[in-house]
Amino acid sequence: MEHPFEVSYLRWIVLLPLLGAVVNGILGATLQKRFGKNAISLIACSVVGVAFLCAVAAFLHILRLGPEHRFLLDTLVAPWIHIGDLKVDIAFWVDPLSAVMILIVTGIGGLIHVYSIGYMHDDESYWRFFTFLNLFTAAMLTLVLGDNLLLLFVGWEGVGLCSYALIGFWYKEHANTTAGNKAFIVNRIGDAGFTLGIFTIFWGLNSAGHGTTPVFRELVPVAHYLQTVSVWGIPAATLAALFLFIGATGKSAQIPLYVWLPDAMAGPTPVSALIHAATMVTAGVYMMARMHFVFSLAPVAMNVVATVGALTAIFAATIGLAQNDIKRVLAYSTVSQLGYMVLGVGVGAYAAAIFHLLTHAFFKACLFLGSGSVIHAMGGEQDMRKMGGLREKMPYTFMTFFISTLAIAGLPPLSGFFSKDEILWKTFSGGHPFLWLLGFAGAGMTAFYMFRQVFMTFFGESRADHHTQHHLHESPPVMTYPLIILATGAVLAGFLGVPAALGGSNRFEQWLEPVLVGGHGHAAHVTEHAVESLEYLLMIASVGIAVAGILLAYQMYYRKTLSPEVFSSAGGGAFYDLVYNKYYIDEIYQATFVRGTLALCWLGANFDLYVIDYLVNGAARLTAFIAWLNGWFDNLVIDGLVNAIADGIFAIGNRLRQIQTGSINVYLYVIVGAVAAAQFLPRLSSEMLMPVLIAVVIALAVVGVLALLSARRPLWRPPILRGDAPEPH
Amino acid sequence: MEHSVLSLMIFIPIAGMVAILCLPGQAQDLVKKVALAFTIPPLLLGIWLFLNFNRATPELQFVVKVPWIAAYNIEYFVGVDGISISMVLLTALLCPICILAAWGIDRAVKGYFALFLLLDAAMVGVFCAMDFFLFYIFWEIMLLPMYFLIGVWGGPRREYAAIKFFLYTLFGSVLMLLAMLALYFSVTTIDPGTGEKMHFQLAPYFLGALGAWNIVYGALCALAQCFIEPKDMKKLVAYSSISHMGYVMLGMASFTPQGINGAVLQMFNHGTITAMLFLIVGVIYDRAHHRRIDGFGGLASVMPVYTGVMALAFFAAMGLPGLSAFISEVLVLLGAWQRYKIPTVMGAATVILTAGYLLWTIQQMFLGKPREDYAQMHLSEINARELCMLIPIGVVVLILGVYPHAVLDLLNVSLLNLNKIVLAAAQGTAVALH
Amino acid sequence: MSIALLDIGLRHFLLVSLVVFALGLYCVLTRKNAIGILMGVELILNSANINYIAFSHFSSGRYDGQIFAIFVIMLAAAEAVIGLAIVLGIYQNFATIDVEATDNLQG
């Protein structure tokens, strides 16, 4: 691990799909108009195809390296965020874990791209679909290839965005966009938790004085220092694990944040297959496996994870029992299967969880694409009650769907058996018999509802209307070939991880061991010896309950010897109602969280409108009142004084102006008189000069006051300026 | 060039204002073109500044220091360091864009653009001024054209808005003046750069909590715009702006390298993204003459390109990765978590609300079936001029999302230095940890 | 040099001057005709000239008095020009040069 093998082709695994998205996103509308839809899909599929080849190359590359050196690194943007001691680059890495993931994403993703060529063929916004599909692939690859937490988070948010855009792909329907919003917002809750998890790790290591790196390979050796610091009395490791798990519950649709996934079925079916079954929803599981070194430090958090996983597995399975929408059944099944993966993580069986992730990607993608094929043939009908008898009409779809159903039901030797059993066994052997029981019951339900689906859809008499029946057809090869490949994978993938108890060597676990070292420790050593018989027993039990589930479905929906009424009316139908209405969880969330938030909003807005604005306006009113008082004072007192003085002066002037006779003779007399009088001034002694001057001033003042008293208002009018008033010509 | 670049950036718009005042009032088109022409050189100078800025030093650069009022030690002292250069660049980038956005003005065109150029000059001046007195002068000059721009060319109730704006900012600036005077009498030189001597006393936890409160409160009020009358899109953007500025406060109050870098980066990103959002509101308002969120629907079918640009801006505001605000918000929260737990949880949880109001707006305005009354509304697709103003910002948002180092590199050294100074000054005071 | 002339002293000149001044002042104060007033002013000025020359002759014997007298004559000429122009202006506006009739500046 110390010496990463530097390569420069990993970037293309991410950049090629991104390039496809950019080209199609900017030029797509034009290309589609000029060169037709094939140009769009050619670009979109070829970039993913080449990315797949790069992924295979990377896989072969690390295969050649020794188990301890399986590690490639490709640094794309060198100083990405370098602040203080935080140094993060955009760098991609491939280790055994991410190698598995990129093969799933590009491989299964590529098949789904090909399938979409057929499925979306009649859609006007063909280019937009492939743009987002490519963008999603790029984001998902960033998520799994990122060599640090922040880059993982970039991909994490990116896939969320694409999921939003693709769920609401047919945006003219209000329900679709609402489902998109729901998916995004619920995921955001998880994202907030996830970011806090990142921060906690960063802070914890910083406080413990052991660097501040978010890079995985640098975190592994120092992670245990997270136990040395705590916040709110919780060790940082536990808190970080719990926060990260909140992120995982959002993305991987666990209780309590699973509600978005069933609604997400509003998107086109290839989207459901790619994003909401094979890849994006497994991101949470991948992330927890990636961060196993933190989870392993926090037994409390691990117990929470395991419990939530097991509860989700059975909870979603019960809802799946009563759904009639072909995609919704698959959606709840996905939630349930994700629950198994999370359970695997929770009991420390990271490799088993990733193994189940891999097999699930095959069979669930196949199931979704198969259901898409059915919906395509049925002209958009998704209600299984209106299907039936499609077996003859759609042989390829039926065969692949059936094989995948067997796989998910956990029948040996199909892939689902190996992976699910591995998780259940690790749960049991890890000391969680109750959780094992939940998972075990869930397995039976899974078998039941999946075969219920198969029987309702493909067997019996067709319940579709005449028009639809007339148009029934098998899907084109571009859609069936991916189905066949995926079904093959669903059969064969299990052999990668045949457990030791069945004579295999569990190669998958060995493959991941360098990455997950120390992770599965406490579960692994129990399996060493003497418990193999117990393992056989549990295997037989889970196969048995799966067969029981299948037989029950066979009786109820194929032979119809047993009416579903028997169960649905049990307990006065209350239980059935509860399950059919998905435990009213959506309604409860709506009534509490959504309404609560809206009430807060209302409060905030009104606070802003009334309190803040009133405070401001109140301050303004107060100021205005003071200003009014001031104005009053100004008008009456200050202005009164000023006006009185002005009036006095005007009055004096009014009297004095009479001196101005306008007669030159008078002026001349005054001048002569004054000159004559002036002859006497020098003769006045200096003592006399002042009294005389004062007497003159007093005389003038008396004249002024008299003039003031005798004046009639207005003493003075503003002069009318010439030109002011219009003059008649 | 070295010494004159900042002064040129300040005074070229003023020259433009004079030039516009000399033009005949009827030549509206000419006035607009001249105004645009006078904002281009500062933009080019800004690019030059960006390329020639020495990122390795926290010192002030491109300094001009000329005694002005010697008796009070007041100087014409301009310069930029890592903190202010980002704001100078932002201003230089946004001014030509805002002039393009104002192309539709048809009333008192000359006055509008003259005032706008004055505003431009004052803004650059505020960010470059390194003397408190000079700073205060630019600050006040800035308010004046703002007042008139709001009061004369604003929407309905513009006089009310203008007076409110003016009183609020004046209130703030009077307090600021008091603070400056206090500093002046305690420090004797009044350069903001000499913070070492400041008597440092504040309650950082309070600031952090205030920032978090801003984030949550702004987001709640913005969300309320989705369902409480009058459902004004512009108000929504304004409240979201409040929310986003809360991150700045939270980051600043954290006094961690990541926090303050994130805060200043967030200031820049907020500038670009909120500008984009307001411009986007303007585009639709120009066409429909209203901006009620529930007055639209299905715009994606009518105006696809506009919808694409809108999506970029909205998702940037949401803080999605690959877009600039992601980096700054993550950095702010990362930094803030080091000191404040609850405020950071609030800030991190607000991304849910942010997603809520933005997505609901998108759903109500852009998604769904197109409405039938659009035929009368003449809703034409976004035109070349509007694209010219939105695309450059969008490109900046994208580039900074992938390569934030371009701006972080400018800030980092100065901010680390500042943080060191502040923390050293705060040694004696109680910086609330945890 | 005649003896009679020798007998005539400063006093005589002042006496003449006084007479001329008095006549001028009377003329100025009593005339209603603007030109008459101007003529009275001329008389006053000339009485001043007589004083200048007389005082100059009987005191220093130099020519400064004469110089002032010539200055006053020049000033009188200028004043006459302006005065007559004003009179003409008055006539154009009022069709009379009677100063009693032109009391527009009365307050």
Side-chain angles (χ1 to χ4, degrees):
Chain A
M1 294 288 269
E2 284 75 33
H3 303 290
F5 202 95
E6 298 273 351
V7 291
S8 60
Y9 61 88
L10 294 184
R11 65 188 64 175
W12 295 110
I13 301 177
V14 174
L15 289 182
L16 278 171
L18 188 64
L19 188 73
V22 169
V23 170
N24 273 343
I26 294 174
L27 305 172
T30 322
L31 287 177
Q32 188 174 327
K33 216 170 284 169
R34 189 164 302 169
F35 301 110
K37 289 175 175 170
N38 287 337
I40 303 289
S41 43
L42 183 71
I43 295 171
C45 296
S46 58
V47 290
V48 178
V50 178
F52 177 65
L53 294 180
C54 289
V56 171
F59 176 73
L60 295 175
H61 196 155
I62 60 170
L63 205 59
R64 284 205 308 275
L65 301 170
E68 298 303 318
H69 307 287
R70 287 180 176 147
F71 177 28
L72 307 177
L73 184 71
D74 181 6
T75 306
L76 178 60
V77 177
W80 185 37
I81 306 175
H82 281 194
I83 295 169
D85 38 11
L86 173 71
K87 288 192 169 47
V88 200
D89 299 331
I90 297 187
F92 303 117
W93 75 333
V94 165
D95 66 352
L97 177 57
S98 46
V100 172
M101 294 302 291
I102 55 173
L103 286 176
I104 295 175
V105 174
T106 53
I108 296 182
L111 290 175
I112 294 170
H113 272 73
V114 173
Y115 175 92
S116 305
I117 298 173
Y119 191 82
M120 299 302 288
H121 196 261
D122 299 328
D123 201 281
E124 274 174 42
S125 301
Y126 196 71
W127 63 275
R128 194 158 54 85
F129 183 80
F130 278 99
T131 302
F132 282 121
L133 222 51
N134 270 352
L135 189 61
F136 169 79
T137 311
M140 190 68 205
L141 288 166
T142 311
L143 196 161
V144 295
L145 280 175
D147 88 326
N148 59 69
L149 270 169
L150 285 181
L151 200 54
L152 191 156
F153 186 59
V154 167
W156 185 273
E157 292 275 294
V159 291
L161 170 69
C162 297
S163 158
Y164 161 79
L166 285 168
I167 293 169
F169 180 73
W170 289 309
Y171 61 82
K172 287 180 185 168
E173 291 301 322
H174 190 259
N176 295 351
T177 54
T178 306
N181 282 359
K182 186 172 175 183
F184 199 100
I185 292 167
V186 172
N187 264 305
R188 277 255 139 168
I189 300 172
D191 296 349
F194 185 38
T195 51
L196 289 173
I198 299 176
F199 302 155
T200 308
I201 291 172
F202 182 83
W203 162 82
L205 290 179
N206 201 8
S207 304
H210 289 280
T212 49
T213 178
V215 182
F216 298 125
R217 63 176 182 283
E218 293 165 10
L219 274 173
V220 175
V222 294
H224 62 275
Y225 290 111
L226 284 173
Q227 282 170 310
T228 60
V229 287
S230 62
V231 56
W232 302 322
I234 308 168
T238 308
L239 193 67
L242 286 174
F243 275 140
L244 292 178
F245 179 57
I246 293 176
T249 54
K251 204 57 84 192
S252 288
Q254 297 298 295
I255 293 173
L257 298 180
Y258 70 92
V259 287
W260 63 273
L261 187 56
D263 286 20
M265 297 302 126
T269 306
V271 171
S272 310
L274 177 62
I275 301 184
H276 306 121
T279 54
M280 185 187 88
V281 289
T282 61
V285 178
Y286 165 77
M287 183 270 288
M288 289 195 287
R290 179 56 85 200
M291 299 304 294
H292 67 94
F293 48 87
V294 174
F295 281 88
S296 299
L297 296 172
V300 179
M302 289 289 269
N303 283 335
V304 172
V305 173
T307 311
V308 169
L311 285 176
T312 307
I314 186 146
F315 184 80
T318 56
I319 300 177
L321 294 176
Q323 299 304 311
N324 291 321
D325 185 313
I326 185 168
K327 281 180 77 180
R328 272 187 182 262
V329 174
L330 291 175
Y332 281 107
S333 146
T334 305
V335 176
S336 172
Q337 297 301 313
L338 288 166
Y340 283 106
M341 296 176 212
V342 172
L343 173 64
V345 170
V347 298
Y350 302 106
I354 297 295
F355 187 34
H356 194 53
L357 189 160
L358 169 72
T359 58
H360 177 256
F362 278 110
F363 58 69
K364 189 50 70 66
C366 184
L367 287 170
F368 263 117
L369 294 185
S371 76
S373 179
V374 168
I375 295 165
H376 196 64
M378 297 287 294
E381 183 57 62
Q382 298 193 13
D383 194 335
M384 293 191 295
R385 286 169 297 191
K386 295 181 182 157
M387 296 177 184
L390 292 177
R391 188 169 39 135
E392 291 88 6
K393 298 276 173 50
M394 309 178 73
Y396 293 111
T397 306
F398 165 69
M399 275 311 293
T400 53
F401 198 94
F402 189 73
I403 291 169
S404 301
T405 306
L406 287 174
I408 194 175
L411 289 186
L414 292 133
S415 58
F417 165 73
F418 294 108
S419 56
K420 193 192 285 178
D421 239 49
E422 182 80 6
I423 291 173
L424 287 176
W425 165 239
K426 290 277 164 70
T427 307
F428 193 86
S429 63
H432 302 282
F434 181 67
L435 297 181
W436 172 83
L437 193 65
L438 290 180
F440 175 72
M445 291 184 198
T446 306
F448 172 77
Y449 66 69
M450 284 311 298
F451 271 88
R452 169 177 177 262
Q453 182 170 38
V454 169
F455 291 133
M456 280 176 86
T457 309
F458 291 100
F459 290 87
E461 290 298 308
S462 177
R463 296 177 293 276
D465 57 50
H466 187 72
H467 179 75
T468 312
Q469 283 197 24
H470 189 70
H471 285 91
L472 274 178
H473 58 86
E474 177 59 288
S475 297
V478 75
M479 288 165 73
T480 50
Y481 283 129
L483 286 176
I484 293 166
I485 297 171
L486 287 170
T488 314
V491 175
L492 298 177
F495 294 110
L496 290 173
V498 179
L502 293 179
S505 55
N506 208 343
R507 244 175 295 164
F508 196 77
E509 199 174 310
Q510 284 174 9
W511 169 254
L512 290 179
E513 199 168 335
V515 185
L516 304 175
V517 64
H520 71 299
H522 72 278
H525 58 81
V526 189
T527 60
E528 288 303 325
H529 51 86
V531 283
E532 275 190 3
S533 53
L534 186 61
E535 194 174 348
Y536 287 132
L537 202 67
L538 293 182
M539 260 178 214
I540 291 162
S542 56
V543 173
I545 194 166
V547 171
I550 293 168
L551 286 177
L552 191 63
Y554 178 75
Q555 293 294 335
M556 277 163 75
Y557 294 99
Y558 186 69
R559 297 283 300 280
K560 304 206 193 278
T561 51
L562 191 64
S563 167
E565 296 292 315
V566 176
F567 291 101
S568 62
S569 59
F575 181 69
Y576 179 79
D577 270 358
L578 202 61
V579 170
Y580 183 76
N581 289 306
K582 305 154 229 162
Y583 296 97
Y584 297 99
I585 293 290
D586 278 334
E587 286 77 6
I588 293 169
Y589 282 2
Q590 181 71 26
T592 52
F593 298 115
V594 178
R595 290 224 167 263
T597 310
L598 293 189
L600 267 182
C601 282
W602 183 84
L603 215 64
N606 282 312
F607 185 78
D608 207 49
L609 207 59
Y610 293 108
V611 180
I612 301 239
D613 267 19
Y614 264 43
L615 279 180
V616 171
N617 288 343
R621 294 247 166 79
L622 187 69
T623 314
F625 176 70
I626 295 170
W628 179 79
L629 273 183
N630 191 31
W632 180 82
F633 182 80
D634 202 50
N635 269 332
L636 283 163
V637 180
I638 308 267
D639 275 14
L641 273 177
V642 171
N643 284 342
I645 291 169
D647 286 354
I649 288 170
F650 275 126
I652 295 168
N654 210 25
R655 297 291 131 181
L656 286 181
R657 76 180 195 194
Q658 285 165 6
I659 296 170
Q660 296 285 331
T661 60
S663 162
I664 292 171
N665 294 81
V666 174
Y667 295 157
L668 287 170
Y669 279 118
V670 170
I671 291 168
V672 171
V675 169
Q679 300 302 309
F680 295 99
L681 269 181
R683 283 170 181 70
L684 288 171
S685 66
S686 55
E687 292 85 43
M688 287 292 288
L689 189 60
M690 274 318 282
V692 168
L693 282 180
I694 289 167
V696 169
V697 170
I698 288 173
L700 282 174
V702 169
V703 170
V705 171
L706 285 175
L708 180 64
L709 292 178
S710 67
R712 280 173 305 165
R713 281 167 184 269
L715 284 165
W716 175 81
R717 281 193 204 90
I720 294 169
L721 296 172
R722 252 170 239 281
D724 257 12
E727 283 175 30
H729 290 285
Chain B
M1 193 68 182
E2 174 81 6
H3 292 292
S4 56
V5 55
L6 292 178
S7 301
L8 279 174
M9 286 180 79
I10 297 171
F11 289 106
I12 286 176
I14 291 193
M17 182 187 76
V18 173
I20 282 179
L21 290 178
C22 296
L23 291 174
Q26 298 88 339
Q28 296 195 350
D29 247 32
L30 185 64
V31 166
K32 290 169 186 170
K33 280 172 191 155
V34 168
L36 187 61
F38 273 94
T39 53
I40 299 296
L43 177 60
L44 298 177
L45 288 172
I47 292 169
W48 185 88
L49 204 61
F50 177 76
L51 295 175
N52 286 280
F53 186 80
N54 181 2
R55 283 127 167 99
T57 167
E59 299 293 315
L60 285 176
Q61 300 181 37
F62 308 104
V63 169
V64 178
K65 200 170 184 178
V66 184
W68 183 15
I69 306 175
Y72 296 100
N73 203 6
I74 291 169
E75 292 161 330
Y76 174 78
F77 180 11
V78 293
V80 284
D81 62 0
I83 305 167
S84 53
I85 188 174
S86 61
M87 294 294 109
V88 172
L89 294 178
L90 183 67
T91 313
L93 170 71
L94 288 184
C95 278
I97 287 167
C98 291
I99 283 189
L100 276 178
W103 217 255
I105 297 266
D106 52 0
R107 196 155 47 85
V109 175
K110 219 171 111 173
Y112 181 91
F113 287 96
L115 284 171
F116 189 86
L117 287 174
L118 181 61
L119 180 66
D120 179 4
M123 283 192 294
V124 178
V126 160
F127 293 130
C128 296
M130 285 295 142
D131 180 290
F132 264 138
F133 189 77
L134 189 63
F135 176 84
Y136 192 76
I137 286 180
F138 280 126
W139 179 269
E140 294 297 323
I141 291 180
M142 201 170 67
L143 299 190
L144 184 85
M146 281 293 282
Y147 171 74
F148 285 111
L149 289 175
I150 296 172
V152 178
W153 290 272
R157 290 189 84 198
R158 52 178 172 259
E159 290 91 350
Y160 171 79
I163 289 173
K164 199 166 173 181
F165 159 80
F166 198 77
L167 292 179
Y168 265 62
T169 38
L170 205 63
F171 181 69
S173 57
V174 165
L175 290 183
M176 191 172 75
L177 182 64
L178 287 177
M180 284 179 195
L181 290 176
L183 277 177
Y184 174 73
F185 288 113
S186 64
V187 183
T188 70
T189 59
I190 46 177
D191 306 334
T194 58
E196 296 104 305
K197 295 175 194 161
M198 283 183 200
H199 187 57
F200 185 86
Q201 209 164 31
L202 42 77
Y205 196 92
F206 171 74
L207 289 180
L210 196 66
W213 172 249
N214 241 20
I215 297 172
V216 175
Y217 184 73
L220 280 175
C221 287
L223 185 51
Q225 299 308 316
C226 291
F227 64 99
I228 289 180
E229 294 293 323
K231 301 192 181 177
D232 185 346
M233 185 184 180
K234 203 168 178 178
K235 265 181 113 171
L236 181 132
V237 172
Y239 277 122
S240 93
S241 171
I242 292 174
S243 178
H244 285 118
M245 284 309 280
Y247 286 99
V248 178
M249 177 82 100
L250 184 60
M252 287 284 180
S254 76
F255 299 111
T256 52
Q258 292 80 29
I260 54 172
N261 267 292
V264 177
L265 186 62
Q266 171 77 355
M267 265 160 47
F268 188 89
N269 292 339
H270 171 264
T272 49
I273 293 169
T274 309
M276 254 187 118
L277 291 177
F278 277 121
L279 292 173
I280 280 164
V281 176
V283 168
I284 195 71
Y285 184 77
D286 281 349
R287 285 163 177 69
H289 302 294
H290 75 85
R291 34 171 207 252
R292 294 171 53 85
I293 292 170
D294 56 350
F296 298 99
L299 282 180
S301 316
V302 186
M303 304 166 73
V305 180
Y306 175 63
T307 306
V309 178
M310 175 282 307
L312 177 75
F314 270 45
F315 288 120
M318 233 180 270
L320 281 193
L323 303 167
S324 56
F326 167 76
I327 308 284
S328 48
E329 287 182 16
V330 164
L331 281 176
V332 162
L333 293 173
L334 184 66
W337 179 259
Q338 317 286 316
R339 291 224 194 287
Y340 319 121
K341 297 293 181 281
I342 300 288
T344 312
V345 172
M346 282 165 72
T350 303
V351 297
I352 305 160
L353 296 178
T354 311
Y357 64 76
L358 290 174
L359 291 182
W360 274 334
T361 308
I362 293 178
Q363 188 184 21
Q364 287 188 45
M365 289 184 63
F366 294 92
L367 307 180
K369 292 186 185 67
R371 288 158 61 116
E372 282 162 12
D373 51 352
Y374 288 159
Q376 290 96 44
M377 272 163 101
H378 310 292
L379 288 180
S380 51
E381 179 60 287
I382 185 168
N383 61 33
R385 172 179 64 80
E386 287 156 344
L387 278 178
C388 273
M389 65 204 198
L390 283 164
I391 295 290
I393 317 184
V395 169
V396 170
V397 167
L398 269 172
I399 289 176
L400 286 186
V402 180
Y403 191 65
H405 197 67
V407 168
L408 284 176
D409 195 28
L410 293 175
L411 313 173
N412 199 5
V413 176
S414 294
L415 281 172
L416 290 183
N417 187 47
L418 178 72
N419 198 36
K420 217 166 61 199
I421 293 166
V422 171
L423 285 183
Q427 285 292 303
T429 64
V431 176
L433 283 160
H434 317 313
Chain C
M1 280 296 162
S2 74
I3 295 160
L5 203 62
L6 287 174
D7 289 342
I8 298 169
L10 177 63
R11 190 178 300 247
H12 302 94
F13 286 99
L14 293 184
L15 202 65
V16 171
S17 168
L18 180 66
V19 170
V20 173
F21 178 82
L23 287 171
L25 189 62
Y26 177 77
C27 180
V28 165
L29 291 179
T30 56
R31 286 282 158 180
K32 293 197 165 91
N33 189 315
I35 294 178
I37 292 174
L38 281 178
M39 288 166 77
V41 171
E42 292 297 319
L43 283 180
I44 292 171
L45 288 172
N46 280 320
S47 77
N49 283 349
I50 293 169
N51 273 10
Y52 273 129
I53 295 166
F55 280 123
S56 168
H57 180 79
F58 289 103
S59 61
S60 69
R62 283 183 302 196
Y63 297 104
D64 36 4
Q66 279 90 327
I67 291 167
F68 264 98
I70 290 167
F71 186 75
V72 170
I73 291 167
M74 189 195 71
L75 193 133
E79 179 251 317
V81 169
I82 292 167
L84 284 170
I86 291 171
V87 171
L88 274 175
I90 291 172
Y91 183 75
Q92 276 169 2
N93 276 303
F94 297 91
T96 175
I97 50 171
D98 185 347
V99 292
E100 297 280 294
T102 59
D103 59 351
N104 276 30
L105 288 178
Q106 187 182 19

